[in-house]
Structure formats: C-alpha cells, structure tokens
Amino acid sequence: MKRVFYLDGQTVPFTSGQNVLEAAIAAGMARQIPYFCYHPALGSLGACRQCAVKIYPHDDKHPPRVTMACLLPASDNLQLATVDKEVHTEHREIIELLMLNHPLDCPVCDEGGQCHLQDMTVQTGHAVRRYSGPKRTYHDQDLGPLVYQEMNRCITCYRCVRFYQDTAQGDDFGVFGSRDRVYFGRLEDGPLESPFSGNLVEVCPTGVFTDKVFRHDYARVWDLQQGPSVCPHCAVGCNTMPGARLGTLRRVRARHHPEINPHFLCDRGRYGFRYVTAAERPVQARLHGARSRQDVVLRQVAMRLQEGRSGFLGSPREDVQSNLALFALADCLHAPFAALSSPWMEALAQQCMALPQAPTLSDVETADHLIVMGDLGGVAPMAELAVRQALRNGAQLTVLASQPTPLAEAGDYRPTRPSALPDLITGLAEDVCLQGSRRPVILAAAETLGPAGVHALRKTLARLPANARAGVFQNSPNLFGAAYFAVDGHTARLQHALRQRQIDHLLCLAADPLGSDWGAGTWRSLVPGLQGATVLDMVDTDTVRAAEAVLPTAAFPERDGFFINYEGRIQAFAQVYRREAPVLHPQENVNSFPAAAGGQMHPLGPPTPQYWLGRLAELLDIVKPWQERLAFYQHFLCPISPHPDSPGVLLDDALRARFEIAAAPAAAPVGTEDWELDLFHWYGGETLADAAAELQSLAPARGLRVSADISAPFATLSGPCGRLRLPVIPIVGMVAGVVALDQEGFAELGLYPGEAVQIQWEVAS
Amino acid sequence: MSAYRSFVQLGLGLWTTLRQIGRGASTISYPEEALKLPPRWRGRPALTRDPDGDERCVACQLCSAVCPTRCIELQAGEREDERRYPVSFRINFSRCIYCGFCEEACPTLAIQLLDEFAFSTEHHQDFIYEKEALLIDGTGKHPHYNFYRHAGVALHDKDKGQGSNESPPVNGRSNLP
Ligand code: SF4
Ligand code: SF4
Ligand code: SF4
Ligand code: SF4
Ligand code: FES
C-alpha cells in the first residue's frame, strides 16, 4: 500500500523512515517548505528553523502547532499546511534574521546563481532590508589552493562541519566560538587535509566555501555548458558534471549516481580536471618534437605502419572504443597488440576480471564487517568514503596494510607485509568473525594485492558464505575495459618482438611505457631497438616527450565514450563542450593555440583517438575491414550501449567467466630479512591528475617511506631495471622491513609491490 | 448643407496653418545640429568608473544574463588583491536594442546608457565594442556610489569590517558569553 500524508491538501507519498521535508522534496514540493540545514546526505539537524509547517493533530485535545518539517517523521495521513499565516510569519522572519548580517556580496560571490540562500530568500519573498544596524564581520582563513573561504556569508547551518567531521571524518576543520560569533574553519590557516575537502563547496548552501580553482577562471553557472561525464581518475568511476565556457573547461561537480556517488566527489575527481587546461598539454600534432601539420605527421606514421614492423600498445587510461579501435587496427595489420604495459599488470587485470561481482559503494556503506587491504583511500578515495559511512553505521573494520593509512587509524590496524597478504587472505576463509557477519565486504588496492593476492581472494570468496563480497580498486578508469584484451602473454609477446627486433616502432594509445606505467623499466631497456614511437595522448608524459610523432587527443569531457569501472559497470560519458580557440583568453591563446607550421590558428581542439586511427586506416587503405572489426568487437563487448544519463549496465558475466581459467600466478618468495616494497599512493596522484597544478601543489614530498627506526637520510634502491636514490621519510607505525614507494619509483626499478629490493642506506654524516 | 460644412472646415484648417507663420521652425537640421536629449534617454551602454576612478564593473554577468538580444559577452578575472574585474567585455551594438535592462540589472551601477544612439560604420564587426571602447572616464549618472565600500569582501585598501555599516571583525575563537 502506498503511504501518504497531506501537505496543503495535496497528497505526498513517503517511505518509512523519511521525514516530512525529505518526502516533500522527493515529491517535488520543495517550493512550499524552504530549508537550509537539512541535506539528503547529512540528514536533519533543526538548526536553521526555516522549514516550518503547521501540523493538525488528529484529536481535538491538541491545537494545531508549527513545527520543523525536517524533524517531523512522516506518518500516515498527517495533515500539514504551509499556506498559513503563522507558517508564513515564521518563514519570513527566520530568513530575515539569517539575512541580518549577510553582506552585500552577491555580485562578487561565486555562489551567485547556484546559491541556496538566494533561492530561499526569493522564494520566501524577503525583498526589503529593514535592519540598518552594523553587520557582523569575520576574518577569513587561507584554506589552501582548493577551497576559498568568506565567513561573512555564513548562516550557521552546520552543514560544513557535519560533512567534514561526520561524513568525511576529517579532524582539521571544525566549529569555534560561541553565540553569534561561531566560526567554521581550521584551528590555523593551512590547506584542508581531507581528500574530500572540495565537497564543502557543494554542501555549503551559501558562498562561504567556494571553489578556488574555478574562482580564477570564473563563469556564472547559467553560462556554463554542462553534461554528464564520468571521472577518469580511478576505477570507481564516479559520475561528474563538468562545466565549460567558451571552449575551456572551468569546473567539475558531482552528478548523482544512486549506487556510486549520490552526492560527493573526492578532490582528485573534482580538481584533477585541470590536466585539460594544463599549459604542457599536447594540443598540436608533433613530429620529432616540433609542431607540425596533421597530415604530415599522419603520413609519417602511416609510412611506419606500412613497413609492417609496428607494435600496438593500448592503455587502461583510455576508454573502451579507443582501445577497440587500436585493437582493430592492429588486427587488420596483423601486428602484435597489448592493452597493458606489463605482464604483471596483465595477470592482475585478468585476476580482477575473474572476481565475482563486486559490491557497489552503496553496498559497502551498509556492510557490517569490512576488511581493507592496502592503501584503499590513496588509490580510490571514494571507496574510503564509503567505508567511513559503514563505520558510522557501526561496522567493524580491519585494515591489513604496511602503512598506517588514514583508514587504518579509524579501524583495527593489523600491520602486514604485502607478501604475506595472499596467505592471510586464504586464512580469511576460516575466519569465524567473517563467517558470522551478515554483510562482510573485503576491499583492496589492486596493486598491493598483486595477481597472487587477487587470485587468493577469489578462492577465499568461493569458500565464504554467499553474502561475502569483494572489490579491488586501481587508479585507472578502464582497467576492465583494457583487461578484456589481456589475453595470456600479449604484453610479453609485444616486448619479445621488440627485443628480437621484429618490430621497431610502437604505437601507444595513452600509454606511458617510457615513463611511469607499470613495467616501464623493461620498456626503457628495450629503447635501443626502437626506431620511433607514436603516441596518442592528452597529457604530457615522458613517452610523449620522447616520441617521434605525437597525435594529441581530446580530453574526456571533450568527447563521447565508455569506461568500465571496478564493478564491471559500463558507463557512458558524453561530450560536454568543444575545445575552441578561446577568444577571450589572451594567455591561453598564446599557450595552446600557437600558429601552426602553416602559420594558421587551429580553431578546434584535438580530435578523438578513433579519428586519428580512422585517418591512419584511410591512409593504409584498410578502412572497411577496420570498421567491420571495430563494429564486431564493440558488439561483442558491449552490445547494449548505456546512455550517459543512465546508471550504466554491468558487463556480461559470460565475458568475465573466461578469465576464471587464468592460472594462479606465482609470487616471488620474500625472505623475512629482505626489504620488501609496498605501494605508496597519494590521494591526488594519478597520471592525468598529476598535470593539475592546484591539486599537485598539495602533493606530499617524494621519498622512501620506512618505519621510524631507520635514521638514514637517503637510500639507494636497486632493481633489475635501474637504481633510485631517494630521501628517507620515517613513518611511525609502519611495518619493519617494508619500504613504500610511489608508482614512478616502481617503474624506474622494474619491480612490483610485494617483491624484495636491495637497499643501501646512507649513513648520516 | 454638406458643401457649407466643408468650406468651414477648409477655412479652419487654413487658419491653423496661418497661425504658425512667424513662430519659426520646430524641426532642426539633424545631424548638423545636436539634439537636446533628456538625461534619462536610452542610448548605447557604457562602463563607468567609481568615484575613486577605478572601474566599477565586477564581472557579475547579470547584464549579459538579462540582455534579451544576448549581445553582451564578458570574462571575469581577478586582480592581485582578489578584486573582480572584467578581463574582457564586449557589446555587439548591431544587436543592442537600447532596452536598458542591463542598466537596471547592474548591481554596481557600472553599465549605464549614454545618450549616443545613432552611429554607423561600414562593417558589421565594427559594431562590436571591446572594453577599451566601452569604459568611460566618469561616474556617469551616479557620482557617489562605490559598490566595494558596501560589500563585505576585503580589498587592498579595505580590510574586513571597514565597509560601510560594518562592525569590526569578531573573535571567532572566543567562548565568552
Ligand atoms: S551566499 Fe548567496 S546570497 Fe550570499 S552573497 Fe553569496 S550569492 Fe549572495
Ligand atoms: S559555512 Fe556554510 S555550511 Fe558551514 S555553517 Fe556556514 S553556511 Fe552552513
Ligand atoms: S574516487 Fe575515483 S572516480 Fe571517484 S571522484 Fe575520486 S578519483 Fe574520481
Ligand atoms: S551587471 Fe554591471 S557589474 Fe555585472 S557584469 Fe554587467 S556591467 Fe559588470
Ligand atoms: S532544515 Fe529544518 S530546521 Fe533547518
């Protein structure tokens, strides 16, 4: 039976547990009840007193009374009214009180046009200021490069502190002071430490917290071109809403996805978009490092391909169709192709693909027993946020990691060497605690687990009750899409062909084999056999700088496509804007659109990878077979293309099932007295986001993280592919015998997490 | 009967005409002679300066939002002291219909309609006026208003609490009642 109550004589449906305001908003009747402190993700507080309604009791004993809609549980046949003199008085007078000290800032306030306070003020009809006394003012704080503060505009709804302290469980932001002087900020000036600090901008209903990055390149929301997109910075695949104007991307906001990110984004997702506007971004075709005309570069690449000595390398950083298009081209030319840059990554991808259906983030929030392995928050921050919600709901959390990650501090931290993880995971099958819980969830950072660990996880899951779920996360958006091509030994075969000099040219799609991709060390050792590389990419990488030919590609908000996230969910993103010569930005004009070789300005931004590959197919006279193959693979992999506005569709189980036969990879044994490597991952770090200047200004210092009992200032690591000298960063609480290194370091050494490494400590002089 | 009435009316008409003789011409030879326009005349908009001589516009984009012909385009920028200003501001006068909505919407009294209403060029693109051509040196019709003296934001010459009608900043750390 449908449950309803009545608001001004209209029926409002509700579900149990909802309050009146929540139900009214869901029914599209928010116009009748103005509100401030209620937020769907933060709940009700009753702080602002704005959401008054009049309740008519069913009996005669109690007179009708005014109450707060957000604190009133919805119940059957409630009689409520807002068209009422007392209710109007309350609405009008509360907003007037809130506006008493409000500055005359709207013209210079970045919230203007998307301001909840503006909307509510107009809605309640408060148009004339009667109070003429002096207004209260505050000094503001410098909260770092991402969030801008203007405290004068505060209406003390407490949304910010409820988000920061309760939802994100950050501890460097809070509420200070008393009476009409309450202050929302940090104890001292300084950057906000939470990986979710950017959400303050969205939860604050006024202009106290605004987007500092957007501020420097501001446009009013009504002028923004917006469209549905998907975050390209990690495997979670949060839904985003980028906004652009005059051909430049200005900001990214969260877009509602009921199961992944109903309201929030991490800072990498919100501020990482600046790779699109980075000055170093390749936007013009290059040949031998110099800007050149498209057709010249294309002819050169086509000539290389015609020689028949080319290899093709795809990437989990690119979308499904681009990888497919590359695969189809390689197929037509009978050239070796690999989607991943190292055999280790290939094995890892296969094992991830073979895992049973992962839990959605909303499932994680309702888990009652969580086991987290590795630095989950560093790799996929929103997964950490989901774990924190589960913690708030009373879940039990065990963290198996070598470093005291922020999540480890919130749960039961069991210091663990990464090489011990596979055995520990196998042991979990007998864990009574896990067996007995209602909704156990295991989450892990994929690289820390390694192929052996993920394989052990699959075996363990098979032995656990059916309600146990597991998800592994990685920091590229389309590992599953690329894993589809990760057939046994493709990468090894490609590397072998290069080593044997069967090929001497590499066509890389958003891959960085000479830079920071996994296994880059091996590729670098193969450089002597390489006559030249062609790169299709949207950021400046080592490979782009070293390449013979560079074909710049459109950034993700500049085109359509699909990503497959950690659950195997195919999500579409739509083109939001077209990059154009930004006429109103003199400095952009100089940086991004210099005169081409022919002396002409290029009016449009870089095209998609499919366009480049199609042009190459044209020059090679294989358009028809290429298109046929492309269409066939696409139909095979994602027969139903989801709409960008839809929640996406899950990858067919049959497609994933074929990876179940992937052999159990053997992990190299590590002795107890060996130094062992683990991955250190900063929450803002990822190949694309690394080009986002504002975000990167917060990046922690590079170094080797070891337990605090090591006192050497520097250490030199040696691996099969190279040596690396790094400053030592002592970390209290880190497992002895483990050193944590960033991905670039691994690429340099040619090693992987959980492997042994030779270290020479430099003695302090 | 009707012939008689026609004659009378003819006569009246003639009398009206004859009465004007000697009163001088009421038309002027425009454009050689300048028009005397009332101060509230709506000609083309210009950007004015505040009493301190700084540009008034804060690039709030209200004028461009309200413009019915969408002929205003601007891009906001920030100065060193975080004062907002338009990096570029252009109006396409081949589309402007002198409706005055922009002037009405402008919260800083920056954009004001001048009395210039008839101008011609040979090319359409010459009607696109950039900021340099729009920004005039005076305060226009409002000699005293300075938006930033009333707003709550701080500037290089004005700290928090120094705006008009503001009390000095409170101590947000104090727990005293
Ligand atoms: S918070 Fe809203 S009402 Fe206040 S100045 Fe900003 S836009 Fe205007
Ligand atoms: S800063 Fe914003 S979110 Fe926080 S209490 Fe003030 S108005 Fe509310
Ligand atoms: S968690 Fe991953 S997908 Fe989500 S916003 Fe952050 S980086 Fe993007
Ligand atoms: S409305 Fe006024 S202050 Fe705002 S952009 Fe237009 S001219 Fe500038
Ligand atoms: S929304 Fe109900 S009191 Fe604030």
Side-chain angles (χ1 to χ4, degrees):
Chain A
M1 197 194 71
K2 206 166 155 197
R3 308 182 64 186
V4 294
F5 63 84
Y6 302 92
L7 179 64
D8 295 330
Q10 290 163 286
T11 52
V12 182
F14 70 95
T15 53
S16 54
Q18 274 185 323
N19 62 53
V20 165
L21 180 62
E22 198 177 350
I25 294 172
M29 293 167 76
R31 283 199 67 83
Q32 272 129 294
I33 316 178
Y35 66 97
F36 288 112
C37 61
Y38 169 78
H39 183 282
L42 309 175
S44 309
L45 186 67
C48 71
R49 314 314 286 174
Q50 183 66 57
C51 61
V53 289
K54 191 167 226 177
I55 173 168
Y56 289 87
H58 296 304
D59 51 26
D60 306 334
K61 276 186 260 125
H62 301 89
R65 63 177 206 278
V66 171
T67 185
M68 294 300 122
C70 68
L71 298 177
L72 183 65
S75 59
D76 289 309
N77 301 324
L78 259 184
Q79 295 286 349
L80 303 168
T82 61
V83 189
D84 178 276
K85 209 157 152 252
E86 272 172 33
V87 173
H88 275 174
T89 312
E90 165 111 13
H91 286 177
R92 209 187 52 240
E93 289 185 351
I94 291 292
I95 198 102
E96 186 164 7
L97 275 173
L98 292 175
M99 291 302 274
L100 279 192
N101 286 310
H102 204 77
L104 183 72
D105 272 0
C106 291
V108 287
C109 176
D110 284 4
E111 195 78 357
Q114 52 184 341
C115 177
H116 194 74
L117 180 58
Q118 273 184 338
D119 294 350
M120 294 298 135
T121 311
V122 172
Q123 188 176 316
T124 45
H126 174 63
V128 177
R129 186 180 192 84
R130 293 190 294 171
Y131 169 76
S132 57
K135 296 178 189 178
R136 172 202 60 201
T137 58
Y138 292 100
H139 281 301
D140 299 319
Q141 287 183 314
D142 181 359
L143 298 178
L146 307 180
V147 178
Y148 188 86
Q149 190 197 31
E150 185 67 48
M151 252 315 277
N152 286 356
R153 302 172 186 153
C154 181
I155 57 164
T156 55
C157 68
Y158 283 72
R159 276 192 192 186
C160 51
V161 65
R162 280 145 76 208
F163 169 77
Y164 206 94
Q165 292 192 345
D166 302 349
T167 306
Q169 300 184 339
D171 54 10
D172 63 319
F173 176 96
V175 49
F176 303 90
S178 64
R179 42 166 252 222
D180 63 343
R181 295 175 307 225
V182 285
Y183 191 92
F184 298 85
R186 278 171 54 93
L187 196 54
E188 286 169 340
D189 280 24
L192 292 164
E193 284 160 17
S194 168
F196 311 102
S197 65
N199 292 301
L200 287 181
V201 173
E202 283 193 62
V203 296
C204 178
T206 73
V208 175
F209 297 112
T210 50
D211 188 329
K212 209 174 203 171
V213 174
F214 185 29
R215 184 184 171 86
H216 300 316
D217 202 10
Y218 186 70
R220 289 279 181 216
V221 272
W222 58 73
D223 277 340
L224 289 180
Q225 279 171 286
Q226 304 196 88
S229 198
V230 176
C231 175
H233 301 299
C234 89
V236 174
C238 295
N239 286 209
T240 59
M241 182 74 92
R245 180 162 184 258
L246 300 175
T248 53
L249 191 55
R250 305 296 177 92
R251 70 154 189 202
V252 168
R253 295 268 271 197
R255 179 166 62 93
H256 177 82
H257 187 294
E259 290 175 326
I260 300 176
N261 62 327
H263 307 284
F264 304 126
L265 279 184
C266 75
D267 285 357
R268 193 198 303 167
R270 187 180 305 273
Y271 298 108
F273 79 91
R274 292 281 284 174
Y275 73 90
V276 173
T277 39
E280 298 82 31
R281 177 180 166 193
V283 284
Q284 276 207 322
R286 283 188 222 159
L287 198 58
H288 301 296
R291 295 195 180 93
S292 187
R293 283 170 42 160
Q294 281 189 13
D295 44 346
V296 176
V297 182
L298 274 171
R299 266 202 302 277
Q300 167 71 18
V301 178
M303 207 186 71
R304 283 272 187 210
L305 294 181
Q306 231 146 16
E307 285 168 11
R309 291 169 57 77
S310 296
F312 289 71
L313 185 59
S315 165
R317 184 147 65 74
E318 260 298 344
D319 66 349
V320 174
Q321 291 107 313
S322 305
N323 274 305
L324 281 173
L326 189 73
F327 183 42
L329 192 65
D331 213 8
C332 291
L333 297 171
H334 309 290
F337 168 89
L340 298 161
S341 58
S342 89
W344 181 84
M345 203 59 208
E346 199 176 278
L348 181 63
Q350 286 179 333
Q351 294 298 337
C352 291
M353 201 71 163
L355 277 179
Q357 185 61 49
T360 64
L361 289 192
S362 56
D363 291 341
V364 173
E365 288 181 9
T366 55
D368 66 341
H369 190 142
L370 287 147
I371 296 180
V372 167
M373 288 176 274
D375 185 5
L376 184 67
V379 172
M382 285 300 280
E384 173 182 325
L385 193 68
V387 170
R388 290 189 183 275
Q389 302 325 299
L391 280 178
R392 291 178 68 201
N393 298 335
Q396 188 192 337
L397 169 68
T398 311
V399 178
L400 307 176
S402 64
Q403 311 151 57
T405 60
L407 214 45
E409 280 157 24
D412 175 13
Y413 171 40
R414 307 253 176 92
T416 313
R417 292 172 75 114
S419 60
L421 279 173
D423 289 340
L424 273 175
I425 294 170
T426 312
L428 286 178
E430 265 84 56
D431 189 312
V432 203
C433 231
L434 210 54
Q435 296 269 13
S437 41
R438 265 182 311 114
R439 290 159 157 256
V441 165
I442 304 173
L443 301 175
E447 283 109 340
T448 302
L449 237 49
V454 182
H455 183 262
L457 185 57
R458 171 151 58 97
K459 295 291 171 221
T460 302
L461 275 178
R463 289 165 57 203
L464 281 171
N467 55 359
R469 318 279 295 276
V472 292
F473 297 83
Q474 207 258 344
N475 72 348
S476 49
N478 195 27
L479 182 66
F480 274 31
Y484 168 71
F485 312 103
V487 189
D488 274 335
H490 264 180
T491 315
R493 226 168 302 156
L494 185 59
Q495 287 178 340
H496 181 76
L498 193 54
R499 196 169 293 123
Q500 298 298 313
R501 310 280 163 111
Q502 287 155 3
I503 58 170
D504 58 13
H505 171 241
L506 204 56
L507 183 64
C508 306
L509 172 68
D512 186 15
L514 308 181
S516 61
D517 273 3
W518 288 101
T522 316
W523 289 103
R524 262 194 291 257
S525 69
L526 295 173
V527 164
L530 210 56
Q531 294 292 315
T534 302
V535 187
L536 283 77
D537 211 339
M538 60 183 88
V539 281
D540 192 37
T541 61
D542 289 340
T543 313
V544 164
R545 281 189 291 272
E548 175 188 50
V550 178
L551 298 172
T553 57
F556 295 112
E558 295 164 5
R559 55 160 136 143
D560 301 325
F562 301 105
F563 286 140
I564 306 183
N565 81 348
Y566 79 100
E567 310 159 69
R569 189 190 292 271
I570 308 174
Q571 296 197 99
F573 53 91
Q575 182 177 17
V576 176
Y577 73 105
R578 209 167 63 165
R579 191 182 164 106
E580 287 164 7
V583 265
L584 291 185
H585 272 234
Q587 68 282 47
E588 274 263 338
N589 257 331
V590 175
N591 290 341
S592 316
F593 292 91
Q600 283 173 328
M601 298 288 277
H602 203 301
L604 293 181
T608 62
Q610 287 107 294
Y611 167 85
W612 288 124
L613 297 169
R615 287 289 303 276
L616 286 174
E618 231 168 66
L619 289 171
L620 297 168
D621 239 355
I622 47 168
V623 176
K624 203 144 174 282
W626 175 72
Q627 274 172 345
E628 277 166 10
R629 263 165 238 225
L630 180 56
F632 171 74
Y633 295 142
Q634 189 152 350
H635 178 74
F636 185 62
L637 188 60
C638 38
I640 348 158
S641 310
H643 191 268
D645 264 331
S646 75
V649 292
L650 289 177
L651 207 57
D652 190 22
D653 278 344
L655 277 177
R656 295 177 61 167
R658 50 174 253 199
F659 291 95
E660 278 169 21
I661 49 160
V670 185
T672 38
E673 57 298 334
D674 282 340
W675 283 100
E676 187 178 328
L677 284 168
D678 195 3
L679 181 68
F680 167 77
H681 208 288
W682 174 56
Y683 71 80
E686 182 267 343
T687 314
L688 295 181
D690 282 348
E694 293 84 0
L695 184 63
Q696 293 312 316
S697 67
L698 292 174
R702 188 162 188 225
L704 192 67
R705 284 163 169 77
V706 295
S707 71
D709 50 347
I710 302 287
S711 59
F714 281 95
T716 307
L717 291 82
S718 22
C721 298
R723 297 156 72 81
L724 190 61
R725 182 170 177 270
L726 285 174
V728 170
I729 302 174
I731 304 279
V732 179
M734 205 164 150
V735 181
V738 177
V739 292
L741 190 61
D742 50 14
Q743 190 175 330
E744 291 79 37
F746 279 101
E748 201 115 333
L749 296 173
L751 285 169
Y752 298 96
E755 291 184 345
V757 64
Q758 298 285 326
I759 306 185
Q760 266 180 336
W761 303 99
E762 279 171 36
V763 192
S765 52
Chain B
M1 207 37 204
S2 71
Y4 168 72
R5 212 138 87 215
S6 303
F7 270 110
V8 170
Q9 278 178 1
L10 212 59
L12 281 175
L14 188 62
W15 173 235
T16 307
T17 312
L18 290 176
R19 257 194 338 199
Q20 305 304 320
I21 292 179
R23 286 199 179 179
S26 63
T27 54
I28 59 163
S29 45
Y30 177 81
E32 284 79 27
E33 252 175 85
L35 282 175
K36 279 197 206 69
L37 295 172
R40 284 169 53 188
W41 181 266
R42 298 200 309 248
R44 75 157 177 95
L47 293 174
T48 60
R49 293 177 183 274
D50 62 26
D52 298 343
D54 214 335
E55 57 186 307
R56 266 181 173 148
C57 174
V58 298
C60 71
Q61 299 181 18
L62 288 180
C63 51
S64 61
V66 77
C67 176
T69 64
R70 293 244 164 252
C71 68
I72 305 179
E73 189 178 75
L74 67 137
Q75 172 58 49
E78 260 184 326
R79 289 205 202 147
E80 205 69 339
D81 62 347
E82 301 185 332
R83 179 176 166 137
R84 270 271 158 75
Y85 77 105
V87 181
S88 61
F89 197 113
R90 55 170 61 149
I91 303 184
N92 182 347
F93 282 122
S94 64
R95 267 155 68 183
C96 178
I97 54 170
Y98 309 150
C99 65
F101 281 13
C102 52
E103 180 171 16
E104 227 172 285
C106 182
T108 65
L109 308 182
I111 197 163
Q112 295 179 18
L113 266 51
L114 301 182
D115 51 8
E116 185 182 355
F117 66 95
F119 44 119
S120 58
T121 70
E122 284 179 13
H123 303 287
H124 251 297
Q125 63 263 37
D126 295 344
F127 278 122
I128 300 174
Y129 277 39
E130 298 287 346
K131 188 174 147 188
E132 298 73 54
L134 291 168
L135 188 62
I136 62 171
D137 277 338
T139 54
K141 299 170 224 179
H142 307 276
H144 306 301
Y145 188 69
N146 189 339
F147 166 77
Y148 274 113
R149 302 293 144 215
H150 299 270
V153 298
L155 289 178
H156 68 98
D157 58 346
K158 166 190 170 237
D159 201 2
K160 278 292 167 74
Q162 292 179 353
S164 69
N165 227 3
E166 281 184 344
S167 26
V170 297
N171 177 5
R173 308 287 151 172
S174 165
N175 282 334
L176 292 176

